[in-house]
Amino acid sequence: MRSRTMATLGAAALALSTLLPGAAASASPAAPAAPPAARAAAPDIPLANVKAHLSQLQTIASSNGGNRSHGRPGFRASIDFVKGKLDAAGYQTSIQSFTYLGATGYNLIADWPGGDVNNTLMVGAHLDSVSAGPGINDNGSGSAANLEVALAVAREGYKPDRHLRFGWWGAEELGLIGSKYYVNNLPAAERSKIKGYLNFDMVGSPNPGYFAYDGDGTSGGGGPAGSAEIERVLREHFASINVPVEDTAFDGRSDYGPFIQYGIAAGGLFTGAEGRKTTAQAQKWGGQAGVAYDRCYHASCDTTANINDTALDRNADAIAHAVWTLAGGGGTQQPGDTVFADDLESDKGWTADFGGADTATGGAWEHGTPEPTTWSGTALQLAAAGGSGALVTGAAAGSAAGTYDLDGGASSIQSPEIALPAGAKTLSFSWFLGHLNNSSADDHLRVRLVGPNGSTTVLDERGAAANRAAVWQTKTADVSAYAGQNVRLVVEAADAGTASLIEAGLDSIKITK
């Protein structure tokens, strides 16, 4: 989020731009289409996953001069990290480049296939930091929360009525440069298809407030038509958990600015920057009165230690609630779409070491309730992606991270037989692989689909000599070649080179038409 001085200039420029010839003609004030009365509830967004994304952004900054700012290698590495996650989950991604102050900047755009493209809901956050620090709250927090919501869309197989698009902006800290470039360079016909924009900038402040942009104008000028509905939906989640919310103004400080310039309905959440928490706010939200919401705002101390987990968790869930509510859709999968599903909440007949050839001496695959483990800040084993059960290499945490990790060789587990009807097309599942820098490419997590006439490897992840934080990711694969056959899933993990600390997991398995 930009400084208040720059924001004031940006707000003035925004006000002036609305008076320029042609600005009104480009407006698109239509309110977002009302979702149907019956809709699917948003899933819980795992805090551990969001924090794992933040850990990766911290690692990127630490490896690139301590920041992820415009024109610096840390920013491009951040873009590549987020893009890799989205590509693996089935998004259609594109990188848009622009030039500012003699350096190349980037926006990342990710479209979830399907939905009415003439009624697009867009969700955005800036991914750049200031040059002074790694920018984990500002704005790793909004970027990571949006990323995990996008991945939840894929995990759930969500089929919204509206088209969903996510954006990660560059050079926000220099004056909303990336988001302005994106919106201004959209053809008018394409811009008019965006009926709502949700912005999340700083949602994990360490001394948090809970603010929603004032879409209905109760505290100020409000937003374009449709913004009141966005604000109502965002506040709805906090009301359900008994957390009061205050208004924050559309003051031009973040990336909603270019959207509202063209009359696009907007809204978002914010947990505070350099402003100080009042006594009344401390009484209702907790925290310290008279202290900045974020004492590390635009500073080198804006690291992973500068995050309030409760605020980050609440806001990530609120983002998901808004996406699921405003995008519409009556369910994650329509009746008849799913031909096989195993959420691993109960054991449906998975067999470990089914061939009797496993060589692992510890941490064998099992169905259970995984207990999270970490080593010096690197997440290795995660809680289940949904519910409590999962397939993991040693579910117990033990006295240390390495007590029940995979050791000594390979371990495998096989699903029960799955009868695929004609028309079966897509396999999807959640997975993670975590390891320390004593790993190598000999270590792996591998998933195969095995039929009567052969098999297909649908996932093959290798270790490397670097700390790799575990994070739930979604894998999809076309399995239409096996339609009409009886198949099994075979999952294998190996600590196959020199002894290393490695953990792996699988959850939320589906095969759909």
Side-chain angles (χ1 to χ4, degrees):
M1 179 167 281
R2 297 175 301 145
S3 69
R4 188 169 299 279
T5 300
M6 185 174 286
T8 302
L9 294 173
L14 178 60
L16 177 62
S17 69
T18 60
L19 301 177
L20 295 176
S26 300
S28 177
R39 57 175 171 80
D44 179 72
I45 301 302
L47 175 63
N49 288 9
V50 182
K51 293 191 71 177
H53 301 325
L54 291 179
S55 293
Q56 187 61 38
L57 293 176
Q58 175 70 68
T59 298
I60 288 170
S62 299
S63 301
N64 290 280
N67 65 66
R68 302 179 300 100
S69 61
H70 169 71
R72 306 290 181 86
F75 181 70
R76 180 56 198 245
S78 299
I79 286 281
D80 292 342
F81 161 68
V82 175
K83 184 178 186 298
K85 298 289 186 186
L86 296 165
D87 287 342
Y91 279 81
Q92 297 169 349
T93 64
S94 61
I95 293 177
Q96 180 184 52
S97 62
F98 56 89
T99 301
Y100 187 69
L101 296 179
T104 301
Y106 305 97
N107 294 324
L108 172 63
I109 308 300
D111 287 86
W112 182 239
D116 181 2
V117 295
N118 293 310
N119 186 10
T120 294
L121 177 67
M122 191 164 188
V123 184
H126 77 87
L127 188 55
D128 63 314
S129 74
V130 293
S131 59
I136 298 304
N137 185 39
D138 183 15
N139 181 38
S141 61
S143 291
N146 282 0
L147 173 58
E148 190 56 33
V149 169
L151 297 179
V153 166
R155 282 195 299 269
E156 297 292 314
Y158 182 36
K159 294 184 176 180
D161 295 331
R162 302 170 71 178
H163 183 69
L164 272 180
R165 179 176 299 154
F166 292 82
W168 284 265
W169 312 118
E172 186 269 357
E173 298 290 4
L174 301 177
L176 317 182
I177 304 303
S179 56
K180 284 179 181 177
Y181 185 88
Y182 173 76
V183 177
N184 290 340
N185 284 278
L186 278 176
E190 291 302 310
R191 192 165 50 231
S192 69
K193 295 176 182 179
I194 302 174
K195 305 300 185 184
Y197 173 74
L198 308 181
N199 191 73
F200 302 101
D201 188 353
M202 301 181 67
V203 294
S205 302
N207 188 32
Y210 293 91
F211 301 99
Y213 292 118
D214 183 23
D216 60 11
T218 55
S219 299
S227 301
E229 174 64 7
I230 292 174
E231 181 189 0
R232 184 194 69 77
V233 170
L234 289 167
R235 283 175 168 268
E236 182 178 67
H237 171 76
F238 287 98
S240 74
I241 58 175
N242 298 314
V243 174
V245 175
E246 293 185 6
D247 285 341
T248 189
F250 281 118
D251 60 3
R253 291 192 73 180
S254 195
D255 292 295
Y256 55 79
F259 289 86
I260 64 176
Q261 175 182 346
Y262 286 98
I264 297 171
L269 300 170
F270 174 51
T271 53
E274 77 277 32
R276 295 178 182 273
K277 181 176 284 187
T278 67
T279 299
Q281 289 172 336
Q283 289 174 346
K284 66 182 175 183
W285 290 328
Q288 296 178 279
V291 175
Y293 304 108
D294 184 356
R295 287 178 288 186
C296 290
Y297 177 64
H298 284 186
S300 60
C301 57
D302 187 9
T303 66
T304 49
N306 191 46
I307 291 290
N308 182 285
D309 285 359
T310 299
L312 184 63
D313 191 27
R314 288 170 171 173
N315 279 275
D317 288 339
I319 295 168
H321 172 76
V323 168
W324 259 255
T325 302
L326 293 168
T332 56
Q333 292 287 343
Q334 300 303 316
D337 279 353
T338 301
V339 298
F340 173 81
D342 191 351
D343 59 8
L344 296 160
E345 294 307 288
S346 61
D347 189 351
K348 295 185 178 180
W350 288 80
T351 305
D353 192 14
F354 58 93
D358 286 5
T359 56
T361 57
W365 280 105
E366 63 177 322
H367 172 267
T369 301
E371 298 176 355
T373 64
T374 61
W375 181 277
S376 297
T378 299
L380 292 169
Q381 180 159 279
L382 304 176
S388 60
L391 298 176
V392 284
T393 51
S399 58
T403 303
Y404 293 108
D405 75 308
L406 184 63
D407 284 317
S411 175
S412 63
I413 194 165
Q414 178 178 264
S415 75
E417 192 170 68
I418 304 166
L420 295 185
K425 182 177 181 182
T426 303
L427 165 68
S428 66
F429 54 86
S430 298
W431 64 275
F432 73 78
L433 177 65
H435 57 70
L436 298 185
N437 58 12
N438 54 4
S439 181
S440 72
D442 293 326
D443 304 329
H444 64 261
L445 167 63
R446 188 173 296 139
V447 180
R448 294 183 294 132
L449 188 71
V450 180
N453 302 311
S455 67
T456 298
T457 299
V458 296
L459 178 72
D460 190 0
E461 287 290 317
R462 301 295 179 125
N467 289 351
R468 173 179 180 164
V471 58
W472 283 112
Q473 301 182 59
T474 301
K475 177 66 179 180
T476 61
D478 185 345
V479 296
S480 54
Y482 293 84
Q485 301 179 24
N486 291 341
V487 300
R488 296 181 190 269
L489 284 172
V490 172
V491 184
E492 180 185 88
D495 178 5
T498 58
S500 54
L501 208 166
I502 182 169
E503 298 277 17
L506 224 69
D507 202 353
S508 305
I509 301 163
K510 290 181 182 179
I511 300 176
T512 59
K513 290 185 178 180

